[in-house]
Amino acid sequence: MSLGKWAACGMTGVVIVGSLAGYGVYQDVFAIDTAEINTDGWGDRPAQVDGLHNILLLGTDERAGEDASYNELNGVRPDVLVVVSIDVDQGGVTMVNLPRDTMVEIPPCEANESGDGWAGGVDQINHAMTYGGMDCQGNTVETVTGIHLDHMVLVDFAGFENIVDSIGGIEMCVPEPIDDPKAHLVLDAGTQRLDGEQALGLARSRDSTESRSDLDRIENQHRMIGAILREVTSGEILSSPSSLYGFLDSVTDSLVTDENLTNDKMTELAVAMREVDLGRMNMVTAPVVDYAANPNKVALEEGPAQELFAAVAAGELTTGPADDEESGAEDDGGPEPSEVSLRVLNNTGINGRGSQVQELLVAEGFVVTESTNPDVRAPDTTTVYHGPDRAEHAEVLASALSVAEVVEEPSLGDELELVMGGVDWDGLATGGAESGGGSGAPLGDVDTTSAAEDEVTCS
């Protein structure tokens, strides 16, 4: 998983190059290789969503050259697969990492100059590259996730050191000392600036993680994505011609894109990315479980994974902290969710749904004291009951739900009652794994990492 942090760096490089190229700058200086992708052969494809640009970013050791000592795989297989979803309308970015060892159903792929083709069947997700190159790999990821891919970008492992060095290194917190001979890495504990070789070693290091697993290594890589983005979007890199030139040279030398990712498309993405706050750049790993047939492999945790993919495909995960701040700026001084105490009463007839809703409401900041079945009041339609002095609190709760009626109940005191109706219950307004439809599906229990700051604290 050595290129996880390369993902954001490569993506940033692409959009910066596109921005400059779109204005006629550097157009003849930085040549980017392209690959032919035949999406017409992918069969029935997911629908495109207006305002969304979904890019499959692949990290591979194909062209490692002198840096082959870092290679982990034989042949052309992406070490990292990341779906980068850029929402132009919402001004947000979601990056979904697909673990390379995930066993999936790879669709049939035609033979081409990159591979001998594939008849279809279960295999490791990154093996699709060996069967038909970027074309087969893109078809596989789109089929598995249901996310319409607009473009593909391949970045090579060998250039990563140069990329980090070209931006003057990245600042990282190392909680514990690291001595990992396999990754050629020795680091003291504490916050420090890593050069390219050290950053590469940390991204590759499995033994330095808590469980010594690829999944833990991905978490380190997510932190490095944030560090690279913070470095690139601050300081002198974008304002200094020499620094920018060095960065672009290191990025473009390691890129292959689909032939339709033109200068105009890059410019469009660059304009969109300029408006995105780092707090709205979120990274998440697709939920996986152990693969029954091979403990060294994983499989998608179907329910949570498909909910995550569906939310990304619909553009429902690109809001972030900045949205909350903006809404707070327009707050009329009413109660905050943390001031709203309630009981959740499940009248949907589906066991366990009340507990799921309780967890989602707590995640939204509400105080939920109990989740049970209704006793006194059991309407068929979703209803928020409130005491005489809690009308505003009830409205705050109702606004967090997809649908709800607000009714005063004189017998109630400070605590509200939310009765989930069996006829119209449709989850939270922001969606949820239990919503059964509705307008969205938040990440729920899936951990996310923001590019805005490093969540690991060094003493």
Side-chain angles (χ1 to χ4, degrees):
M1 296 295 177
S2 44
L3 292 179
K5 71 288 175 182
W6 211 130
C9 192
M11 197 66 258
T12 303
V14 168
V15 297
I16 292 174
V17 170
S19 176
L20 295 174
Y23 295 106
V25 181
Y26 296 124
Q27 195 160 9
D28 298 324
V29 179
F30 301 108
I32 300 177
D33 294 335
T34 61
E36 182 177 353
I37 309 295
N38 180 27
T39 55
D40 290 339
W42 291 8
D44 293 333
R45 304 186 62 197
Q48 286 181 295
V49 176
D50 290 341
L52 282 187
H53 298 270
N54 298 319
I55 299 174
L56 176 59
L57 195 57
L58 304 170
T60 179
D61 61 1
E62 176 188 7
R63 300 157 63 195
E66 295 180 355
D67 293 324
S69 60
Y70 284 124
N71 288 355
E72 297 183 276
L73 299 172
N74 295 318
V76 183
R77 297 174 182 174
D79 201 31
V80 163
L81 303 89
V82 180
V83 177
V84 182
S85 183
I86 303 172
D87 191 326
V88 176
D89 296 333
Q90 296 290 337
V93 177
T94 300
M95 306 179 200
V96 182
N97 194 312
L98 305 170
R100 70 180 184 190
D101 296 332
T102 307
M103 301 298 290
V104 300
E105 182 79 25
I106 297 179
C109 298
E110 294 291 335
N112 55 33
E113 60 182 12
S114 300
D116 296 331
W118 171 254
V122 175
D123 202 346
Q124 193 168 304
I125 190 170
N126 68 339
H127 288 187
M129 192 82 162
T130 65
Y131 301 135
M134 291 175 66
D135 199 349
C136 185
Q137 189 67 76
N139 184 14
T140 297
V141 171
E142 185 174 278
T143 301
V144 168
T145 64
I147 299 171
H148 183 98
L149 299 179
D150 299 291
H151 298 290
M152 298 180 64
V153 175
L154 179 73
V155 295
D156 101 81
F157 182 58
F160 176 70
E161 286 188 40
N162 293 335
I163 291 168
V164 174
D165 286 335
S166 74
I167 60 176
I170 56 175
E171 189 170 280
M172 292 284 294
C173 164
V174 180
E176 302 289 340
I178 297 174
D179 187 355
D180 185 353
K182 293 180 181 178
H184 308 281
L185 181 66
V186 177
L187 293 174
D188 294 328
T191 299
Q192 53 202 286
R193 183 164 288 273
L194 307 184
D195 61 23
E197 184 177 6
Q198 292 170 322
L200 180 59
L202 182 58
R204 298 186 70 250
S205 177
R206 182 189 293 111
D207 289 346
S208 66
T209 65
E210 183 176 352
S211 64
R212 298 189 175 187
S213 69
D214 282 338
L215 296 180
D216 275 358
R217 188 161 53 171
I218 289 175
E219 294 305 313
N220 270 346
Q221 293 159 8
H222 285 172
R223 294 177 54 221
M224 298 183 82
I225 290 176
I228 290 173
L229 281 172
R230 292 191 296 273
E231 200 71 43
V232 170
T233 57
S234 63
E236 67 170 13
I237 293 175
L238 298 184
S239 59
S240 166
S242 60
S243 297
L244 181 59
Y245 184 96
F247 174 69
L248 294 178
D249 190 29
S250 64
V251 170
T252 58
D253 188 51
S254 304
L255 288 183
V256 178
T257 71
D258 66 88
E259 58 187 358
N260 292 320
L261 188 53
T262 62
N263 287 342
D264 288 342
K265 291 290 185 182
M266 289 187 190
T267 302
E268 183 180 356
L269 292 175
V271 171
M273 289 283 282
R274 282 199 196 104
E275 303 301 320
V276 178
D277 184 271
L278 289 179
R280 293 187 181 182
M281 294 186 180
N282 293 305
M283 294 152 277
V284 59
T285 300
V288 293
V289 295
D290 291 339
Y291 184 56
N294 186 340
N296 296 317
K297 308 297 180 183
V298 295
L300 293 171
E301 189 177 0
E302 281 302 324
Q306 293 308 320
E307 288 158 8
L308 170 63
F309 297 152
V312 173
E316 294 169 351
L317 296 185
T318 48
T319 56
D323 297 293
D324 298 333
E325 293 166 6
E326 290 171 7
S327 62
E330 299 175 0
D331 193 357
D332 61 2
E336 296 293 329
S338 60
E339 301 174 69
V340 179
S341 176
L342 69 139
R343 300 169 65 222
V344 173
L345 305 175
N346 179 14
N347 198 37
T348 66
I350 301 176
N351 292 334
R353 178 160 285 188
S355 297
Q356 295 175 0
V357 172
Q358 176 176 349
E359 292 178 3
L360 292 172
L361 288 171
V362 169
E364 294 289 327
F366 292 95
V367 179
V368 182
T369 62
E370 183 183 17
S371 172
T372 185
N373 296 323
D375 43 18
V376 179
R377 288 167 285 276
D380 290 331
T381 56
T382 299
T383 306
V384 175
Y385 292 101
H386 67 88
D389 300 325
R390 284 293 184 265
E392 288 187 345
H393 294 70
E395 292 294 345
V396 171
L397 175 58
S399 68
L401 307 174
S402 290
V403 59
E405 181 182 0
V406 176
V407 175
E408 181 174 337
E409 171 51 54
S411 65
L412 293 176
D414 293 343
E415 192 169 65
L416 309 180
E417 285 185 355
L418 165 60
V419 180
M420 301 160 55
V423 173
D424 64 349
W425 174 251
D426 198 29
L428 273 62
T430 53
E434 49 69 45
S435 63
S439 59
L443 296 178
D445 293 333
V446 180
D447 292 332
T448 62
T449 303
S450 167
E453 59 183 354
D454 194 347
E455 297 179 357
V456 175
T457 302
C458 276
S459 57

